[in-house]
Amino acid sequence: SSELTQDPAVSVALGQTVRITCQGDSLRRYNVSWYLQKPGQAPVFVMYGENIRPSGIPDRVSGSSSGNTASLTITGAQAEDEADYYCKSRDSSGNHVVFGGGTKLTVL
Amino acid sequence: EVQLVQSGAEVKKPGESLKISCKGSGYNFPKYWIGWVRQMPGKGLEWMGIVYPDDSDTRYSPSFRGQVTISADKTINTAYLQWNSLKASDTAIYYCARGSLSQLDYWGQGTLVTVSS
């Protein structure tokens, strides 16, 4: 099992707001990065830390963190946001990297 | 444009060796870490390890240490992932990605490795 816990699946109505969470004790000390992956494609980097977005990622995607929980929020969800979302950070020792189990986002 | 281009799909038998590659272009290859990530069929992403091509500093996930070898050749802008003796459970897609322990900003297209007798 991963040291970073994600809900396996989340759904959101088209145009609504959804929050995808990632929990782990190491998140109190280390930043998280987020990746989305669509079927048959390589992962794509979408967020680092609190709201550092790579170019090309729309500003309706935002990141935040509080305590042991990091969140990726999508405002005004679109059909193209449907994907698996993974968080990544350090493990509790800080010496190694771990991914969360992933969250499958369905846009209804 | 930053690009990571991985070698093609492989079909191997248990016990065989394999080395797959990841060639970077469009940036100063030696100065960025290259990480390797496994994705088994229908499963999530797993961190395997990372290499810094400039000095070949390598860090392994405890789950993969001793199971694979990660390396890089900065003279040809290429990183490698190697197995000495494949198992059926090594069947997966393997991704390389540029970045650091904190983030992986550019990813290769993935290499499918199938191990079957």
PDB file of all heavy atoms in Angstrom, chain A residues 32-33 35 37 41-45 48 86 88 90 96-101, chain B residues 37 39 43-47 60-62 95 100-105 107-109:
ATOM      1  N   VAL A  32       3.836  18.344  -2.845  1.00  0.00           N
ATOM      2  CA  VAL A  32       3.266  17.310  -3.702  1.00  0.00           C
ATOM      3  C   VAL A  32       3.281  17.805  -5.148  1.00  0.00           C
ATOM      4  O   VAL A  32       3.245  19.016  -5.401  1.00  0.00           O
ATOM      5  CB  VAL A  32       1.825  16.981  -3.258  1.00  0.00           C
ATOM      6  CG1 VAL A  32       0.888  18.127  -3.558  1.00  0.00           C
ATOM      7  CG2 VAL A  32       1.336  15.693  -3.905  1.00  0.00           C
ATOM      8  N   SER A  33       3.396  16.886  -6.070  1.00  0.00           N
ATOM      9  CA  SER A  33       3.177  17.205  -7.483  1.00  0.00           C
ATOM     10  C   SER A  33       2.038  16.320  -7.991  1.00  0.00           C
ATOM     11  O   SER A  33       1.766  15.251  -7.420  1.00  0.00           O
ATOM     12  CB  SER A  33       4.441  17.000  -8.320  1.00  0.00           C
ATOM     13  OG  SER A  33       4.971  15.710  -8.157  1.00  0.00           O
ATOM     14  N   TYR A  35      -0.208  14.681 -11.442  1.00  0.00           N
ATOM     15  CA  TYR A  35      -0.116  14.222 -12.829  1.00  0.00           C
ATOM     16  C   TYR A  35      -1.475  13.673 -13.252  1.00  0.00           C
ATOM     17  O   TYR A  35      -2.167  13.042 -12.448  1.00  0.00           O
ATOM     18  CB  TYR A  35       0.951  13.117 -12.954  1.00  0.00           C
ATOM     19  CG  TYR A  35       2.274  13.566 -12.382  1.00  0.00           C
ATOM     20  CD1 TYR A  35       2.541  13.432 -11.027  1.00  0.00           C
ATOM     21  CD2 TYR A  35       3.234  14.170 -13.188  1.00  0.00           C
ATOM     22  CE1 TYR A  35       3.729  13.892 -10.483  1.00  0.00           C
ATOM     23  CE2 TYR A  35       4.426  14.631 -12.653  1.00  0.00           C
ATOM     24  CZ  TYR A  35       4.647  14.497 -11.300  1.00  0.00           C
ATOM     25  OH  TYR A  35       5.827  14.963 -10.762  1.00  0.00           O
ATOM     26  N   GLN A  37      -3.373  11.257 -16.265  1.00  0.00           N
ATOM     27  CA  GLN A  37      -3.084  10.261 -17.291  1.00  0.00           C
ATOM     28  C   GLN A  37      -4.383   9.829 -17.946  1.00  0.00           C
ATOM     29  O   GLN A  37      -5.294   9.364 -17.265  1.00  0.00           O
ATOM     30  CB  GLN A  37      -2.364   9.053 -16.694  1.00  0.00           C
ATOM     31  CG  GLN A  37      -1.916   8.050 -17.754  1.00  0.00           C
ATOM     32  CD  GLN A  37      -1.235   6.838 -17.158  1.00  0.00           C
ATOM     33  OE1 GLN A  37      -1.570   6.384 -16.054  1.00  0.00           O
ATOM     34  NE2 GLN A  37      -0.253   6.289 -17.871  1.00  0.00           N
ATOM     35  N   GLN A  41      -2.157   6.838 -22.746  1.00  0.00           N
ATOM     36  CA  GLN A  41      -1.208   7.936 -22.888  1.00  0.00           C
ATOM     37  C   GLN A  41      -0.250   7.992 -21.704  1.00  0.00           C
ATOM     38  O   GLN A  41      -0.522   7.429 -20.642  1.00  0.00           O
ATOM     39  CB  GLN A  41      -1.945   9.270 -23.010  1.00  0.00           C
ATOM     40  CG  GLN A  41      -2.830   9.363 -24.235  1.00  0.00           C
ATOM     41  CD  GLN A  41      -3.485  10.735 -24.367  1.00  0.00           C
ATOM     42  OE1 GLN A  41      -3.002  11.726 -23.813  1.00  0.00           O
ATOM     43  NE2 GLN A  41      -4.567  10.795 -25.122  1.00  0.00           N
ATOM     44  N   ALA A  42       0.863   8.698 -21.900  1.00  0.00           N
ATOM     45  CA  ALA A  42       1.805   8.922 -20.815  1.00  0.00           C
ATOM     46  C   ALA A  42       1.239   9.948 -19.837  1.00  0.00           C
ATOM     47  O   ALA A  42       0.407  10.780 -20.207  1.00  0.00           O
ATOM     48  CB  ALA A  42       3.138   9.409 -21.381  1.00  0.00           C
ATOM     49  N   PRO A  43       1.667   9.893 -18.593  1.00  0.00           N
ATOM     50  CA  PRO A  43       1.246  10.917 -17.618  1.00  0.00           C
ATOM     51  C   PRO A  43       1.684  12.310 -18.059  1.00  0.00           C
ATOM     52  O   PRO A  43       2.663  12.478 -18.792  1.00  0.00           O
ATOM     53  CB  PRO A  43       1.958  10.482 -16.330  1.00  0.00           C
ATOM     54  CG  PRO A  43       2.196   9.019 -16.499  1.00  0.00           C
ATOM     55  CD  PRO A  43       2.475   8.846 -17.963  1.00  0.00           C
ATOM     56  N   VAL A  44       0.948  13.302 -17.571  1.00  0.00           N
ATOM     57  CA  VAL A  44       1.238  14.707 -17.840  1.00  0.00           C
ATOM     58  C   VAL A  44       1.312  15.445 -16.509  1.00  0.00           C
ATOM     59  O   VAL A  44       0.430  15.306 -15.660  1.00  0.00           O
ATOM     60  CB  VAL A  44       0.131  15.333 -18.730  1.00  0.00           C
ATOM     61  CG1 VAL A  44       0.345  16.839 -18.871  1.00  0.00           C
ATOM     62  CG2 VAL A  44       0.088  14.664 -20.089  1.00  0.00           C
ATOM     63  N   PHE A  45       2.359  16.234 -16.329  1.00  0.00           N
ATOM     64  CA  PHE A  45       2.559  17.034 -15.123  1.00  0.00           C
ATOM     65  C   PHE A  45       1.588  18.205 -15.138  1.00  0.00           C
ATOM     66  O   PHE A  45       1.555  18.974 -16.096  1.00  0.00           O
ATOM     67  CB  PHE A  45       4.013  17.495 -15.115  1.00  0.00           C
ATOM     68  CG  PHE A  45       4.387  18.510 -14.075  1.00  0.00           C
ATOM     69  CD1 PHE A  45       4.074  18.298 -12.730  1.00  0.00           C
ATOM     70  CD2 PHE A  45       5.086  19.653 -14.420  1.00  0.00           C
ATOM     71  CE1 PHE A  45       4.450  19.220 -11.765  1.00  0.00           C
ATOM     72  CE2 PHE A  45       5.458  20.581 -13.464  1.00  0.00           C
ATOM     73  CZ  PHE A  45       5.135  20.364 -12.134  1.00  0.00           C
ATOM     74  N   TYR A  48       2.519  21.625  -9.176  1.00  0.00           N
ATOM     75  CA  TYR A  48       3.516  21.380  -8.130  1.00  0.00           C
ATOM     76  C   TYR A  48       3.227  22.283  -6.949  1.00  0.00           C
ATOM     77  O   TYR A  48       2.972  23.485  -7.127  1.00  0.00           O
ATOM     78  CB  TYR A  48       4.927  21.644  -8.647  1.00  0.00           C
ATOM     79  CG  TYR A  48       5.970  21.530  -7.555  1.00  0.00           C
ATOM     80  CD1 TYR A  48       6.242  20.284  -6.974  1.00  0.00           C
ATOM     81  CD2 TYR A  48       6.647  22.647  -7.076  1.00  0.00           C
ATOM     82  CE1 TYR A  48       7.175  20.162  -5.960  1.00  0.00           C
ATOM     83  CE2 TYR A  48       7.574  22.522  -6.059  1.00  0.00           C
ATOM     84  CZ  TYR A  48       7.836  21.285  -5.505  1.00  0.00           C
ATOM     85  OH  TYR A  48       8.754  21.157  -4.495  1.00  0.00           O
ATOM     86  N   TYR A  86      -2.822  11.389 -10.323  1.00  0.00           N
ATOM     87  CA  TYR A  86      -1.900  10.838  -9.346  1.00  0.00           C
ATOM     88  C   TYR A  86      -1.178  11.958  -8.616  1.00  0.00           C
ATOM     89  O   TYR A  86      -0.729  12.926  -9.237  1.00  0.00           O
ATOM     90  CB  TYR A  86      -0.843   9.966 -10.024  1.00  0.00           C
ATOM     91  CG  TYR A  86      -1.384   8.720 -10.677  1.00  0.00           C
ATOM     92  CD1 TYR A  86      -1.777   8.722 -12.015  1.00  0.00           C
ATOM     93  CD2 TYR A  86      -1.498   7.529  -9.962  1.00  0.00           C
ATOM     94  CE1 TYR A  86      -2.270   7.579 -12.625  1.00  0.00           C
ATOM     95  CE2 TYR A  86      -1.985   6.381 -10.565  1.00  0.00           C
ATOM     96  CZ  TYR A  86      -2.376   6.414 -11.895  1.00  0.00           C
ATOM     97  OH  TYR A  86      -2.867   5.275 -12.478  1.00  0.00           O
ATOM     98  N   LYS A  88       2.181  12.790  -6.097  1.00  0.00           N
ATOM     99  CA  LYS A  88       3.532  12.247  -5.868  1.00  0.00           C
ATOM    100  C   LYS A  88       4.240  13.128  -4.855  1.00  0.00           C
ATOM    101  O   LYS A  88       4.167  14.357  -4.925  1.00  0.00           O
ATOM    102  CB  LYS A  88       4.321  12.209  -7.171  1.00  0.00           C
ATOM    103  CG  LYS A  88       5.775  11.784  -7.037  1.00  0.00           C
ATOM    104  CD  LYS A  88       6.439  11.688  -8.381  1.00  0.00           C
ATOM    105  CE  LYS A  88       7.459  12.731  -8.722  1.00  0.00           C
ATOM    106  NZ  LYS A  88       8.139  13.447  -7.737  1.00  0.00           N
ATOM    107  N   ARG A  90       7.342  12.698  -1.226  1.00  0.00           N
ATOM    108  CA  ARG A  90       8.328  11.867  -0.548  1.00  0.00           C
ATOM    109  C   ARG A  90       7.612  10.900   0.396  1.00  0.00           C
ATOM    110  O   ARG A  90       6.475  11.140   0.807  1.00  0.00           O
ATOM    111  CB  ARG A  90       9.287  12.727   0.262  1.00  0.00           C
ATOM    112  CG  ARG A  90       9.957  13.831  -0.495  1.00  0.00           C
ATOM    113  CD  ARG A  90      10.998  13.318  -1.467  1.00  0.00           C
ATOM    114  NE  ARG A  90      11.714  14.445  -2.049  1.00  0.00           N
ATOM    115  CZ  ARG A  90      12.904  14.858  -1.627  1.00  0.00           C
ATOM    116  NH1 ARG A  90      13.531  14.216  -0.658  1.00  0.00           N
ATOM    117  NH2 ARG A  90      13.490  15.902  -2.180  1.00  0.00           N
ATOM    118  N   HIS A  96      12.837   8.810  -0.138  1.00  0.00           N
ATOM    119  CA  HIS A  96      12.332   8.146  -1.340  1.00  0.00           C
ATOM    120  C   HIS A  96      11.064   8.816  -1.811  1.00  0.00           C
ATOM    121  O   HIS A  96      10.414   9.576  -1.098  1.00  0.00           O
ATOM    122  CB  HIS A  96      12.074   6.667  -1.060  1.00  0.00           C
ATOM    123  CG  HIS A  96      13.281   5.947  -0.577  1.00  0.00           C
ATOM    124  ND1 HIS A  96      14.390   5.703  -1.366  1.00  0.00           N
ATOM    125  CD2 HIS A  96      13.596   5.443   0.651  1.00  0.00           C
ATOM    126  CE1 HIS A  96      15.305   5.074  -0.665  1.00  0.00           C
ATOM    127  NE2 HIS A  96      14.852   4.906   0.562  1.00  0.00           N
ATOM    128  N   VAL A  97      10.721   8.501  -3.063  1.00  0.00           N
ATOM    129  CA  VAL A  97       9.550   9.091  -3.702  1.00  0.00           C
ATOM    130  C   VAL A  97       8.437   8.058  -3.758  1.00  0.00           C
ATOM    131  O   VAL A  97       8.690   6.858  -3.940  1.00  0.00           O
ATOM    132  CB  VAL A  97       9.915   9.540  -5.132  1.00  0.00           C
ATOM    133  CG1 VAL A  97       8.679   9.967  -5.903  1.00  0.00           C
ATOM    134  CG2 VAL A  97      10.943  10.664  -5.087  1.00  0.00           C
ATOM    135  N   VAL A  98       7.218   8.515  -3.567  1.00  0.00           N
ATOM    136  CA  VAL A  98       6.058   7.629  -3.675  1.00  0.00           C
ATOM    137  C   VAL A  98       4.958   8.323  -4.471  1.00  0.00           C
ATOM    138  O   VAL A  98       4.823   9.549  -4.437  1.00  0.00           O
ATOM    139  CB  VAL A  98       5.505   7.203  -2.307  1.00  0.00           C
ATOM    140  CG1 VAL A  98       6.448   6.248  -1.605  1.00  0.00           C
ATOM    141  CG2 VAL A  98       5.216   8.407  -1.428  1.00  0.00           C
ATOM    142  N   PHE A  99       4.181   7.516  -5.167  1.00  0.00           N
ATOM    143  CA  PHE A  99       2.963   7.979  -5.819  1.00  0.00           C
ATOM    144  C   PHE A  99       1.763   7.549  -4.989  1.00  0.00           C
ATOM    145  O   PHE A  99       1.786   6.498  -4.327  1.00  0.00           O
ATOM    146  CB  PHE A  99       2.812   7.343  -7.212  1.00  0.00           C
ATOM    147  CG  PHE A  99       3.682   7.944  -8.278  1.00  0.00           C
ATOM    148  CD1 PHE A  99       4.899   7.366  -8.602  1.00  0.00           C
ATOM    149  CD2 PHE A  99       3.270   9.065  -8.971  1.00  0.00           C
ATOM    150  CE1 PHE A  99       5.702   7.914  -9.595  1.00  0.00           C
ATOM    151  CE2 PHE A  99       4.049   9.618  -9.976  1.00  0.00           C
ATOM    152  CZ  PHE A  99       5.276   9.043 -10.284  1.00  0.00           C
ATOM    153  N   GLY A 100       0.712   8.361  -5.055  1.00  0.00           N
ATOM    154  CA  GLY A 100      -0.561   7.909  -4.539  1.00  0.00           C
ATOM    155  C   GLY A 100      -1.148   6.845  -5.463  1.00  0.00           C
ATOM    156  O   GLY A 100      -0.653   6.637  -6.575  1.00  0.00           O
ATOM    157  N   GLY A 101      -2.202   6.198  -4.999  1.00  0.00           N
ATOM    158  CA  GLY A 101      -2.793   5.120  -5.772  1.00  0.00           C
ATOM    159  C   GLY A 101      -3.567   5.566  -7.004  1.00  0.00           C
ATOM    160  O   GLY A 101      -3.906   4.745  -7.853  1.00  0.00           O
TER     161      GLY A 101
ATOM    162  N   VAL B  37       9.559   5.156 -14.031  1.00  0.00           N
ATOM    163  CA  VAL B  37       8.273   4.856 -13.392  1.00  0.00           C
ATOM    164  C   VAL B  37       7.672   3.616 -14.056  1.00  0.00           C
ATOM    165  O   VAL B  37       7.648   3.516 -15.284  1.00  0.00           O
ATOM    166  CB  VAL B  37       7.308   6.051 -13.538  1.00  0.00           C
ATOM    167  CG1 VAL B  37       5.938   5.718 -12.961  1.00  0.00           C
ATOM    168  CG2 VAL B  37       7.886   7.283 -12.840  1.00  0.00           C
ATOM    169  N   GLN B  39       4.364   1.061 -14.659  1.00  0.00           N
ATOM    170  CA  GLN B  39       2.912   0.940 -14.610  1.00  0.00           C
ATOM    171  C   GLN B  39       2.523  -0.450 -15.090  1.00  0.00           C
ATOM    172  O   GLN B  39       2.554  -0.751 -16.283  1.00  0.00           O
ATOM    173  CB  GLN B  39       2.214   2.005 -15.451  1.00  0.00           C
ATOM    174  CG  GLN B  39       0.703   2.008 -15.257  1.00  0.00           C
ATOM    175  CD  GLN B  39       0.046   3.252 -15.819  1.00  0.00           C
ATOM    176  OE1 GLN B  39       0.411   3.741 -16.888  1.00  0.00           O
ATOM    177  NE2 GLN B  39      -0.939   3.781 -15.102  1.00  0.00           N
ATOM    178  N   LYS B  43      -2.864  -0.879 -13.548  1.00  0.00           N
ATOM    179  CA  LYS B  43      -2.494  -0.408 -12.214  1.00  0.00           C
ATOM    180  C   LYS B  43      -1.965   1.020 -12.245  1.00  0.00           C
ATOM    181  O   LYS B  43      -1.886   1.652 -13.302  1.00  0.00           O
ATOM    182  CB  LYS B  43      -1.428  -1.337 -11.609  1.00  0.00           C
ATOM    183  CG  LYS B  43      -1.884  -2.789 -11.488  1.00  0.00           C
ATOM    184  CD  LYS B  43      -3.086  -2.936 -10.565  1.00  0.00           C
ATOM    185  CE  LYS B  43      -3.462  -4.393 -10.385  1.00  0.00           C
ATOM    186  NZ  LYS B  43      -4.666  -4.560  -9.513  1.00  0.00           N
ATOM    187  N   GLY B  44      -1.585   1.515 -11.066  1.00  0.00           N
ATOM    188  CA  GLY B  44      -1.108   2.875 -10.939  1.00  0.00           C
ATOM    189  C   GLY B  44       0.379   3.012 -11.212  1.00  0.00           C
ATOM    190  O   GLY B  44       1.059   2.070 -11.638  1.00  0.00           O
ATOM    191  N   LEU B  45       0.871   4.214 -10.955  1.00  0.00           N
ATOM    192  CA  LEU B  45       2.280   4.551 -11.200  1.00  0.00           C
ATOM    193  C   LEU B  45       3.129   4.163  -9.990  1.00  0.00           C
ATOM    194  O   LEU B  45       2.723   4.379  -8.850  1.00  0.00           O
ATOM    195  CB  LEU B  45       2.418   6.046 -11.470  1.00  0.00           C
ATOM    196  CG  LEU B  45       1.556   6.615 -12.601  1.00  0.00           C
ATOM    197  CD1 LEU B  45       1.744   8.121 -12.698  1.00  0.00           C
ATOM    198  CD2 LEU B  45       1.884   5.944 -13.925  1.00  0.00           C
ATOM    199  N   GLU B  46       4.304   3.625 -10.270  1.00  0.00           N
ATOM    200  CA  GLU B  46       5.237   3.235  -9.216  1.00  0.00           C
ATOM    201  C   GLU B  46       6.612   3.850  -9.490  1.00  0.00           C
ATOM    202  O   GLU B  46       7.159   3.690 -10.581  1.00  0.00           O
ATOM    203  CB  GLU B  46       5.390   1.725  -9.152  1.00  0.00           C
ATOM    204  CG  GLU B  46       4.142   0.952  -8.823  1.00  0.00           C
ATOM    205  CD  GLU B  46       4.419  -0.545  -8.882  1.00  0.00           C
ATOM    206  OE1 GLU B  46       4.811  -1.130  -7.851  1.00  0.00           O
ATOM    207  OE2 GLU B  46       4.248  -1.123  -9.978  1.00  0.00           O
ATOM    208  N   TRP B  47       7.152   4.488  -8.494  1.00  0.00           N
ATOM    209  CA  TRP B  47       8.485   5.094  -8.617  1.00  0.00           C
ATOM    210  C   TRP B  47       9.562   4.022  -8.528  1.00  0.00           C
ATOM    211  O   TRP B  47       9.590   3.246  -7.594  1.00  0.00           O
ATOM    212  CB  TRP B  47       8.652   6.096  -7.490  1.00  0.00           C
ATOM    213  CG  TRP B  47       9.986   6.734  -7.427  1.00  0.00           C
ATOM    214  CD1 TRP B  47      11.042   6.391  -6.635  1.00  0.00           C
ATOM    215  CD2 TRP B  47      10.428   7.850  -8.189  1.00  0.00           C
ATOM    216  NE1 TRP B  47      12.096   7.226  -6.864  1.00  0.00           N
ATOM    217  CE2 TRP B  47      11.743   8.130  -7.820  1.00  0.00           C
ATOM    218  CE3 TRP B  47       9.804   8.640  -9.171  1.00  0.00           C
ATOM    219  CZ2 TRP B  47      12.451   9.175  -8.385  1.00  0.00           C
ATOM    220  CZ3 TRP B  47      10.512   9.680  -9.714  1.00  0.00           C
ATOM    221  CH2 TRP B  47      11.824   9.935  -9.332  1.00  0.00           C
ATOM    222  N   TYR B  60      17.561   4.632  -5.806  1.00  0.00           N
ATOM    223  CA  TYR B  60      16.571   3.594  -6.104  1.00  0.00           C
ATOM    224  C   TYR B  60      15.465   3.582  -5.058  1.00  0.00           C
ATOM    225  O   TYR B  60      15.721   3.776  -3.865  1.00  0.00           O
ATOM    226  CB  TYR B  60      17.216   2.206  -6.123  1.00  0.00           C
ATOM    227  CG  TYR B  60      18.159   1.962  -7.274  1.00  0.00           C
ATOM    228  CD1 TYR B  60      19.525   2.188  -7.142  1.00  0.00           C
ATOM    229  CD2 TYR B  60      17.684   1.485  -8.493  1.00  0.00           C
ATOM    230  CE1 TYR B  60      20.394   1.956  -8.198  1.00  0.00           C
ATOM    231  CE2 TYR B  60      18.540   1.242  -9.554  1.00  0.00           C
ATOM    232  CZ  TYR B  60      19.896   1.478  -9.390  1.00  0.00           C
ATOM    233  OH  TYR B  60      20.752   1.248 -10.440  1.00  0.00           O
ATOM    234  N   SER B  61      14.248   3.299  -5.505  1.00  0.00           N
ATOM    235  CA  SER B  61      13.191   2.958  -4.574  1.00  0.00           C
ATOM    236  C   SER B  61      13.572   1.658  -3.876  1.00  0.00           C
ATOM    237  O   SER B  61      14.117   0.742  -4.518  1.00  0.00           O
ATOM    238  CB  SER B  61      11.880   2.763  -5.324  1.00  0.00           C
ATOM    239  OG  SER B  61      10.964   2.023  -4.558  1.00  0.00           O
ATOM    240  N   PRO B  62      13.283   1.529  -2.583  1.00  0.00           N
ATOM    241  CA  PRO B  62      13.582   0.261  -1.905  1.00  0.00           C
ATOM    242  C   PRO B  62      12.941  -0.944  -2.601  1.00  0.00           C
ATOM    243  O   PRO B  62      13.491  -2.046  -2.571  1.00  0.00           O
ATOM    244  CB  PRO B  62      12.985   0.469  -0.505  1.00  0.00           C
ATOM    245  CG  PRO B  62      12.979   1.944  -0.306  1.00  0.00           C
ATOM    246  CD  PRO B  62      12.720   2.536  -1.655  1.00  0.00           C
ATOM    247  N   TYR B  95       8.023   4.166 -17.984  1.00  0.00           N
ATOM    248  CA  TYR B  95       8.161   5.545 -18.429  1.00  0.00           C
ATOM    249  C   TYR B  95       9.438   6.161 -17.868  1.00  0.00           C
ATOM    250  O   TYR B  95       9.774   5.934 -16.698  1.00  0.00           O
ATOM    251  CB  TYR B  95       6.982   6.397 -17.935  1.00  0.00           C
ATOM    252  CG  TYR B  95       5.641   6.050 -18.511  1.00  0.00           C
ATOM    253  CD1 TYR B  95       4.729   5.291 -17.782  1.00  0.00           C
ATOM    254  CD2 TYR B  95       5.262   6.505 -19.774  1.00  0.00           C
ATOM    255  CE1 TYR B  95       3.475   4.975 -18.300  1.00  0.00           C
ATOM    256  CE2 TYR B  95       4.014   6.205 -20.291  1.00  0.00           C
ATOM    257  CZ  TYR B  95       3.130   5.441 -19.549  1.00  0.00           C
ATOM    258  OH  TYR B  95       1.885   5.138 -20.068  1.00  0.00           O
ATOM    259  N   SER B 100      13.075  15.832 -11.064  1.00  0.00           N
ATOM    260  CA  SER B 100      13.794  15.725  -9.803  1.00  0.00           C
ATOM    261  C   SER B 100      12.984  14.852  -8.859  1.00  0.00           C
ATOM    262  O   SER B 100      11.958  14.308  -9.258  1.00  0.00           O
ATOM    263  CB  SER B 100      13.974  17.123  -9.184  1.00  0.00           C
ATOM    264  OG  SER B 100      12.700  17.633  -8.796  1.00  0.00           O
ATOM    265  N   LEU B 101      13.422  14.753  -7.614  1.00  0.00           N
ATOM    266  CA  LEU B 101      12.630  14.023  -6.626  1.00  0.00           C
ATOM    267  C   LEU B 101      11.297  14.726  -6.377  1.00  0.00           C
ATOM    268  O   LEU B 101      10.336  14.110  -5.943  1.00  0.00           O
ATOM    269  CB  LEU B 101      13.409  13.895  -5.308  1.00  0.00           C
ATOM    270  CG  LEU B 101      14.661  13.034  -5.357  1.00  0.00           C
ATOM    271  CD1 LEU B 101      15.380  13.086  -4.009  1.00  0.00           C
ATOM    272  CD2 LEU B 101      14.333  11.602  -5.713  1.00  0.00           C
ATOM    273  N   SER B 102      11.239  16.035  -6.671  1.00  0.00           N
ATOM    274  CA  SER B 102      10.027  16.799  -6.385  1.00  0.00           C
ATOM    275  C   SER B 102       8.996  16.727  -7.493  1.00  0.00           C
ATOM    276  O   SER B 102       7.805  16.641  -7.228  1.00  0.00           O
ATOM    277  CB  SER B 102      10.386  18.263  -6.114  1.00  0.00           C
ATOM    278  OG  SER B 102      11.219  18.359  -4.990  1.00  0.00           O
ATOM    279  N   GLN B 103       9.451  16.791  -8.736  1.00  0.00           N
ATOM    280  CA  GLN B 103       8.494  16.816  -9.839  1.00  0.00           C
ATOM    281  C   GLN B 103       9.113  16.239 -11.094  1.00  0.00           C
ATOM    282  O   GLN B 103      10.317  16.235 -11.262  1.00  0.00           O
ATOM    283  CB  GLN B 103       8.047  18.250 -10.099  1.00  0.00           C
ATOM    284  CG  GLN B 103       9.167  19.156 -10.542  1.00  0.00           C
ATOM    285  CD  GLN B 103       8.788  20.615 -10.458  1.00  0.00           C
ATOM    286  OE1 GLN B 103       8.527  21.144  -9.389  1.00  0.00           O
ATOM    287  NE2 GLN B 103       8.760  21.249 -11.604  1.00  0.00           N
ATOM    288  N   LEU B 104       8.251  15.729 -11.952  1.00  0.00           N
ATOM    289  CA  LEU B 104       8.657  15.174 -13.239  1.00  0.00           C
ATOM    290  C   LEU B 104       7.904  15.950 -14.301  1.00  0.00           C
ATOM    291  O   LEU B 104       6.701  15.763 -14.475  1.00  0.00           O
ATOM    292  CB  LEU B 104       8.327  13.685 -13.302  1.00  0.00           C
ATOM    293  CG  LEU B 104       9.026  12.818 -12.257  1.00  0.00           C
ATOM    294  CD1 LEU B 104       8.437  11.415 -12.259  1.00  0.00           C
ATOM    295  CD2 LEU B 104      10.527  12.769 -12.521  1.00  0.00           C
ATOM    296  N   ASP B 105       8.605  16.839 -15.028  1.00  0.00           N
ATOM    297  CA  ASP B 105       7.881  17.781 -15.867  1.00  0.00           C
ATOM    298  C   ASP B 105       7.689  17.330 -17.316  1.00  0.00           C
ATOM    299  O   ASP B 105       6.745  17.778 -17.978  1.00  0.00           O
ATOM    300  CB  ASP B 105       8.495  19.182 -15.800  1.00  0.00           C
ATOM    301  CG  ASP B 105       9.969  19.218 -16.161  1.00  0.00           C
ATOM    302  OD1 ASP B 105      10.548  18.152 -16.489  1.00  0.00           O
ATOM    303  OD2 ASP B 105      10.562  20.315 -16.087  1.00  0.00           O
ATOM    304  N   TRP B 107       7.659  13.768 -19.846  1.00  0.00           N
ATOM    305  CA  TRP B 107       7.639  12.309 -19.826  1.00  0.00           C
ATOM    306  C   TRP B 107       7.892  11.729 -21.220  1.00  0.00           C
ATOM    307  O   TRP B 107       7.480  12.320 -22.229  1.00  0.00           O
ATOM    308  CB  TRP B 107       6.277  11.811 -19.336  1.00  0.00           C
ATOM    309  CG  TRP B 107       5.996  12.117 -17.890  1.00  0.00           C
ATOM    310  CD1 TRP B 107       5.854  13.351 -17.319  1.00  0.00           C
ATOM    311  CD2 TRP B 107       5.820  11.164 -16.845  1.00  0.00           C
ATOM    312  NE1 TRP B 107       5.602  13.215 -15.974  1.00  0.00           N
ATOM    313  CE2 TRP B 107       5.564  11.887 -15.657  1.00  0.00           C
ATOM    314  CE3 TRP B 107       5.832   9.765 -16.783  1.00  0.00           C
ATOM    315  CZ2 TRP B 107       5.351  11.263 -14.427  1.00  0.00           C
ATOM    316  CZ3 TRP B 107       5.604   9.145 -15.563  1.00  0.00           C
ATOM    317  CH2 TRP B 107       5.363   9.892 -14.395  1.00  0.00           C
ATOM    318  N   GLY B 108       8.532  10.573 -21.238  1.00  0.00           N
ATOM    319  CA  GLY B 108       8.633   9.818 -22.477  1.00  0.00           C
ATOM    320  C   GLY B 108       7.304   9.155 -22.799  1.00  0.00           C
ATOM    321  O   GLY B 108       6.365   9.186 -21.998  1.00  0.00           O
ATOM    322  N   GLN B 109       7.250   8.543 -23.971  1.00  0.00           N
ATOM    323  CA  GLN B 109       5.991   7.951 -24.430  1.00  0.00           C
ATOM    324  C   GLN B 109       5.720   6.580 -23.803  1.00  0.00           C
ATOM    325  O   GLN B 109       4.627   6.040 -23.966  1.00  0.00           O
ATOM    326  CB  GLN B 109       5.990   7.839 -25.971  1.00  0.00           C
ATOM    327  CG  GLN B 109       6.703   6.619 -26.549  1.00  0.00           C
ATOM    328  CD  GLN B 109       8.205   6.780 -26.692  1.00  0.00           C
ATOM    329  OE1 GLN B 109       8.821   7.639 -26.057  1.00  0.00           O
ATOM    330  NE2 GLN B 109       8.799   5.936 -27.527  1.00  0.00           N
TER     331      GLN B 109
END
